[in-house]
Amino acid sequence: NKSEELLRGLSVHEFRNFTTDDFSSSMEYGKRDGLFDLCTSALSCSWNHFHDLIFFSVENNQLDPQALVLAVGLLRHCLVATVCLDMTTERTAFITLLARFKMIADRKRVSTKNLSFTLEQWFVDLQSVLSNPDKTVALEHVQEFMEGLEETLASEA
């Protein structure tokens, strides 16, 4: 088998993994700054894929309500990452998706043109908390909000 021959050929070589320490030292960063930069780069390249996945779950919420609950979990992780990494554009995009989930939970008509949620108190409060320099407060608020939303959607699924 050709794949076994290739693996045998590779097994005699020792490949060293490129670690975050290697990255930090090559870029003359401190270890924490190097890790922050790597995470920011990775998320800035891939956030739109997560956004699309969540978006299409919202769009097809009547087809698979359980997928909607799972998408809320993914949305939570995306929001937490964008808060921790200070990615305001991406965070705003995910908050807009959060508003769509809230509309579904509140049994309101979901529309891409409906931006009335920006005037609702929950949205104003969330924007205020997320712009707080104390990320711990912002993360706790996201956690509480998302838990309530997940419970509501799970009970309807």
Side-chain angles (χ1 to χ4, degrees), residues 39-51 54 75 77-83 85-98 127 130:
C39 290
T40 303
S41 296
L43 189 58
S44 65
C45 291
S46 60
W47 76 271
N48 58 325
H49 300 292
F50 294 117
H51 183 275
I54 297 165
L75 179 59
H77 294 296
C78 292
L79 271 173
V80 165
T82 57
V83 168
L85 299 172
D86 293 322
M87 300 174 77
T88 53
T89 303
E90 293 83 354
R91 185 181 70 212
T92 302
F94 287 121
I95 291 173
T96 303
L97 282 177
L98 179 60
Q127 286 284 59
L130 292 179

Side-chain angles (χ1 to χ4, degrees), residues 128-144:
S128 173
V129 168
L130 292 179
S131 61
N132 186 333
D134 184 2
K135 292 180 184 169
T136 307
V137 172
L139 294 174
E140 287 173 357
H141 191 79
V142 167
Q143 181 71 17
E144 289 173 16

Side-chain angles (χ1 to χ4, degrees), residues 14-146:
E14 188 173 311
F15 293 101
R16 190 172 161 293
N17 292 328
F18 193 69
T19 65
T20 55
D21 291 335
D22 297 330
F23 176 78
S24 297
S25 63
S26 71
M27 300 296 283
E28 298 178 2
Y29 283 130
K31 184 173 181 170
R32 185 175 179 161
D33 293 334
L35 186 58
F36 181 87
D37 204 29
L38 277 174
C39 290
T40 303
S41 296
L43 189 58
S44 65
C45 291
S46 60
W47 76 271
N48 58 325
H49 300 292
F50 294 117
H51 183 275
D52 290 347
L53 183 64
I54 297 165
F55 177 81
F56 289 116
S57 295
V58 172
E59 288 297 302
N60 298 314
N61 69 68
Q62 285 85 16
L63 298 176
D64 190 359
Q66 187 59 34
L68 197 62
V69 175
L70 297 173
V72 171
L74 178 58
L75 179 59
R76 175 198 314 220
H77 294 296
C78 292
L79 271 173
V80 165
T82 57
V83 168
C84 290
L85 299 172
D86 293 322
M87 300 174 77
T88 53
T89 303
E90 293 83 354
R91 185 181 70 212
T92 302
F94 287 121
I95 291 173
T96 303
L97 282 177
L98 179 60
R100 295 170 66 83
F101 278 101
K102 182 100 170 82
M103 284 185 221
I104 291 169
D106 294 345
R107 300 186 184 273
K108 293 181 181 175
R109 187 172 175 273
V110 178
S111 166
T112 53
K113 294 179 175 120
N114 183 1
L115 298 177
S116 63
F117 64 86
T118 58
L119 302 174
E120 292 182 22
Q121 193 60 46
W122 72 267
F123 185 80
V124 173
D125 292 344
L126 185 63
Q127 286 284 59
S128 173
V129 168
L130 292 179
S131 61
N132 186 333
D134 184 2
K135 292 180 184 169
T136 307
V137 172
L139 294 174
E140 287 173 357
H141 191 79
V142 167
Q143 181 71 17
E144 289 173 16
F145 190 87
M146 297 302 282

